[in-house]
Amino acid sequence: MDGTTPSIDFAAIGHQDSWQNISAFVNSIRNTGQGKLSCEKIKDIFGFISPKEIFRIKARSKTGTEINGVYIETFIDPDKLHSQFVRANINKVLAAASRAKRLGSKMVTLGGFTSIVLEGELESLSTRETKFTTGNTLTAAFIVKGIEKAAERLGISLHQSDILIIGATGDIGMACANYMKSRANKLLLCARNYQRLEKMAGQLVKEKIKIDFSVRLEDLLPQAKIIIAVASSMDIKLNHCNKNVLICDAGYPKNLENNIIYKKDVHLFHGGMGQVSGGYDFSPDYSRSIYHYEAPHLVHGCILEAMVLAFEKRFESFSSSKGNITTDKMEEIYRLSMKHGIGLAPLYNSKGLW
Amino acid sequence: MESVIIQSLKKGELTMEEFNVISDIFSQAITGELIGMSNFASLAETIDDPHEKMEAVEHANSERMHAEGFLAYARKKNLKINVNMNGEYWGNVRKQFLKYAHNRDFTACLIIQEVMLESFAISMYNDVGHALGGEAGDLFISIGNEEKEHLEHSSDLLCAELKKDPAAFESKFEEIHFNCMSILAEFSATTDLRGHCGVCNGDCMKGSLHHVGLDIVTLRGNAMAIYEEALDNIGISGEKSIIWMARLPA
Ligand SMILES: NC(=O)C1=CN([C@@H]2O[C@H](COP(=O)(O)OP(=O)(O)OC[C@H]3O[C@@H](n4cnc5c(N)ncnc54)[C@H](OP(=O)(O)O)[C@@H]3O)[C@@H](O)[C@H]2O)C=CC1
Ligand SMILES: [Fe+2]
Ligand SMILES: [Fe+2]
């Protein structure tokens, strides 16, 4: 790095989950005289592009500290998130990771799906100069805090509610279960792999937690007053939800809303998001195309975790291997986040703010 | 193992479609090599330093050898070869090159020939080589490897050039990118954006590549990826290169 480049406090590695955003992004870059590229044309090119930094980020803490970051797009094809493309996707994430190192990033977060393809095994990526985190601890914290806030608003008592976690055996799912086990009436755990589910359930039973578990979502749905959806899957169908059910959709791709049959009495919000009160700027500013939200300065919990650690100058792998998120760590990172003016995002869904 | 195509080429069992598309692939490769050869020959004229002049001639000769290699194979197999250096795309790339060569802009010439054209050659020769297999495949792969050395060598030179004055270098590169990569982008788009290339026999081979297990989307995507990698090695930032790529015709 030459002397004129500002040092990079954090890098966020991410991916897009909708062609609509990608198309808006690409066409926002094109000159007005050039005409727009059709989505089909963009699909022909997008997946071939190698991971690279596409914009810089400047974020401000309420303490007055300012940090410099960069967003690295993996250019993973949104239609190729399935396991059959795992090798190619791992290569893209690894290429993005080495790009982050080469740029001199002190802290790197692997947003959304990019940490999942590495199965949370980030330890080997970190070096003395660059530390990697999944950002899942702060994401989980924002999910559960969001549930608490929404429940209060709707007059739902957590203590009397059965909470269903879809994707319970995942990194974030387990973290949410741990947090909620002493606060809810009962935990309902759902995932596809029965063995992992059974093992987790066995542990909770030992702790005398009331639970139910199933690989079949429809077995658990009738009991659920609150649902936390943290599976990265497109085929989750919420038939026959309870009336007035509260749902936190924090998984990607986001499509639970389209799969809900009874929409009227469903209170759904997109969880795992925070808001930076000190604000941030992108350069070039692509916020209208690929990072557009209903309220200003919203950011994913996973990216915010890296920002908070950078504000704190705590360059460490805060969330690394899968299954290690404790409630204490969630409270710790949430507290630090509040210290820098990063709080829970207002509740919203695809129709807008609640 | 020899691919089915080469085996049948030997036995004269090739279908008409396969014969035509293989002929067109060789025609494009030979034309491209001759463009490279001519570009270096023109460049040699603009150089004063005797050592560098000789190097340019030597380089022109290496591209000539590539063309010879492809031609020899094509003759042996009786392929229908059509060389045309003045077609819509090849001719325009050559014009662009000459414009910079006449201005004695050595850096610009390097960018066009060694970065842009070589990126496409390296990538497409590799893809074609693997698809064809056998003797023809080996020929493409071995020539592709030599082109790789050309690209690597010039990336080092250009990287040093960028460090001297990054802003001026980037703006020059950007101008050349839009002048030349736009032509290559139009050439390799799924449909000929500027009409027939003047090289393929009959309709453009793009629509027939599937007969030999290739497709233009993958060929183009891989080639653009090699070009982007080269930009990266030279030191062009991702923020810049994504804008350059998004503004190309498609
Ligand atoms: N809002 C934010 O800022 C962030 C959101 N995320 C999102 O959170 C989600 C979870 O992340 P993470 O915990 O790291 O992922 P993991 O891969 O660790 O966990 C995924 C979980 O979902 C389960 N699952 C997958 N498919 C289904 C299905 N069809 N039905 C039921 N369960 C299923 C898996 O178990 P099994 O395989 O046995 O089914 C597993 O329990 C992801 O979608 C990710 O993109 C992540 C980071 C930040
Ligand atoms: Fe050559
Ligand atoms: Fe060459």
mmCIF file of all heavy atoms in Angstrom, chain B residues 33 62-63 66 118 125 143 147 150, ligand 2:
data_model
loop_
_atom_site.group_PDB
_atom_site.id
_atom_site.type_symbol
_atom_site.label_atom_id
_atom_site.label_comp_id
_atom_site.label_asym_id
_atom_site.label_seq_id
_atom_site.Cartn_x
_atom_site.Cartn_y
_atom_site.Cartn_z
ATOM 1 N N GLU B 33 -3.506 -13.855 -34.506
ATOM 2 C CA GLU B 33 -2.041 -13.918 -34.412
ATOM 3 C C GLU B 33 -1.393 -12.978 -35.419
ATOM 4 O O GLU B 33 -0.393 -12.328 -35.127
ATOM 5 C CB GLU B 33 -1.546 -15.348 -34.633
ATOM 6 C CG GLU B 33 -1.934 -16.330 -33.531
ATOM 7 C CD GLU B 33 -1.358 -15.972 -32.170
ATOM 8 O OE1 GLU B 33 -0.406 -15.160 -32.102
ATOM 9 O OE2 GLU B 33 -1.885 -16.478 -31.169
ATOM 10 N N SER B 62 7.463 -14.043 -32.713
ATOM 11 C CA SER B 62 6.823 -15.090 -31.905
ATOM 12 C C SER B 62 5.342 -15.224 -32.268
ATOM 13 O O SER B 62 4.802 -16.330 -32.331
ATOM 14 C CB SER B 62 7.069 -14.842 -30.410
ATOM 15 O OG SER B 62 5.889 -14.538 -29.734
ATOM 16 N N GLU B 63 4.681 -14.098 -32.554
ATOM 17 C CA GLU B 63 3.278 -14.165 -32.980
ATOM 18 C C GLU B 63 3.185 -14.804 -34.372
ATOM 19 O O GLU B 63 2.248 -15.527 -34.676
ATOM 20 C CB GLU B 63 2.621 -12.774 -32.984
ATOM 21 C CG GLU B 63 2.739 -11.985 -31.685
ATOM 22 C CD GLU B 63 2.064 -12.626 -30.474
ATOM 23 O OE1 GLU B 63 1.574 -13.771 -30.572
ATOM 24 O OE2 GLU B 63 2.064 -12.000 -29.396
ATOM 25 N N HIS B 66 3.202 -18.416 -33.976
ATOM 26 C CA HIS B 66 1.892 -18.917 -33.545
ATOM 27 C C HIS B 66 0.982 -19.086 -34.755
ATOM 28 O O HIS B 66 0.321 -20.111 -34.910
ATOM 29 C CB HIS B 66 1.241 -17.948 -32.554
ATOM 30 C CG HIS B 66 1.970 -17.841 -31.254
ATOM 31 N ND1 HIS B 66 1.749 -16.820 -30.360
ATOM 32 C CD2 HIS B 66 2.919 -18.632 -30.684
ATOM 33 C CE1 HIS B 66 2.532 -16.985 -29.308
ATOM 34 N NE2 HIS B 66 3.252 -18.074 -29.483
ATOM 35 N N GLU B 118 -4.130 -10.152 -25.511
ATOM 36 C CA GLU B 118 -3.571 -11.378 -24.916
ATOM 37 C C GLU B 118 -4.528 -12.000 -23.901
ATOM 38 O O GLU B 118 -4.610 -13.219 -23.802
ATOM 39 C CB GLU B 118 -2.217 -11.121 -24.255
ATOM 40 C CG GLU B 118 -1.086 -10.782 -25.202
ATOM 41 C CD GLU B 118 -0.670 -11.910 -26.151
ATOM 42 O OE1 GLU B 118 -1.525 -12.687 -26.591
ATOM 43 O OE2 GLU B 118 0.524 -11.974 -26.468
ATOM 44 N N TYR B 125 -7.943 -19.600 -25.924
ATOM 45 C CA TYR B 125 -7.125 -20.747 -26.339
ATOM 46 C C TYR B 125 -7.248 -21.865 -25.307
ATOM 47 O O TYR B 125 -7.305 -23.045 -25.646
ATOM 48 C CB TYR B 125 -5.645 -20.352 -26.479
ATOM 49 C CG TYR B 125 -5.324 -19.458 -27.660
ATOM 50 C CD1 TYR B 125 -6.316 -19.037 -28.552
ATOM 51 C CD2 TYR B 125 -4.021 -19.034 -27.910
ATOM 52 C CE1 TYR B 125 -6.024 -18.217 -29.635
ATOM 53 C CE2 TYR B 125 -3.710 -18.218 -28.989
ATOM 54 C CZ TYR B 125 -4.718 -17.803 -29.842
ATOM 55 O OH TYR B 125 -4.412 -16.991 -30.902
ATOM 56 N N ILE B 143 0.247 -22.722 -27.165
ATOM 57 C CA ILE B 143 0.363 -21.320 -27.614
ATOM 58 C C ILE B 143 -0.220 -20.393 -26.541
ATOM 59 O O ILE B 143 0.351 -19.344 -26.225
ATOM 60 C CB ILE B 143 -0.324 -21.117 -28.990
ATOM 61 C CG1 ILE B 143 0.470 -21.906 -30.051
ATOM 62 C CG2 ILE B 143 -0.405 -19.634 -29.361
ATOM 63 C CD1 ILE B 143 -0.077 -21.812 -31.464
ATOM 64 N N GLU B 147 1.388 -17.063 -24.586
ATOM 65 C CA GLU B 147 0.740 -15.749 -24.491
ATOM 66 C C GLU B 147 0.679 -15.289 -23.035
ATOM 67 O O GLU B 147 0.763 -14.102 -22.739
ATOM 68 C CB GLU B 147 -0.687 -15.792 -25.073
ATOM 69 C CG GLU B 147 -0.798 -16.343 -26.489
ATOM 70 C CD GLU B 147 -0.175 -15.466 -27.564
ATOM 71 O OE1 GLU B 147 0.715 -14.659 -27.250
ATOM 72 O OE2 GLU B 147 -0.574 -15.615 -28.742
ATOM 73 N N HIS B 150 3.640 -13.419 -22.171
ATOM 74 C CA HIS B 150 3.597 -12.056 -22.714
ATOM 75 C C HIS B 150 2.811 -11.136 -21.778
ATOM 76 O O HIS B 150 3.215 -10.024 -21.486
ATOM 77 C CB HIS B 150 2.938 -12.030 -24.106
ATOM 78 C CG HIS B 150 3.722 -12.759 -25.154
ATOM 79 N ND1 HIS B 150 3.207 -13.065 -26.384
ATOM 80 C CD2 HIS B 150 4.997 -13.235 -25.146
ATOM 81 C CE1 HIS B 150 4.128 -13.708 -27.099
ATOM 82 N NE2 HIS B 150 5.219 -13.822 -26.354
HETATM 83 FE FE FE C 2 0.361 -15.171 -30.269
#
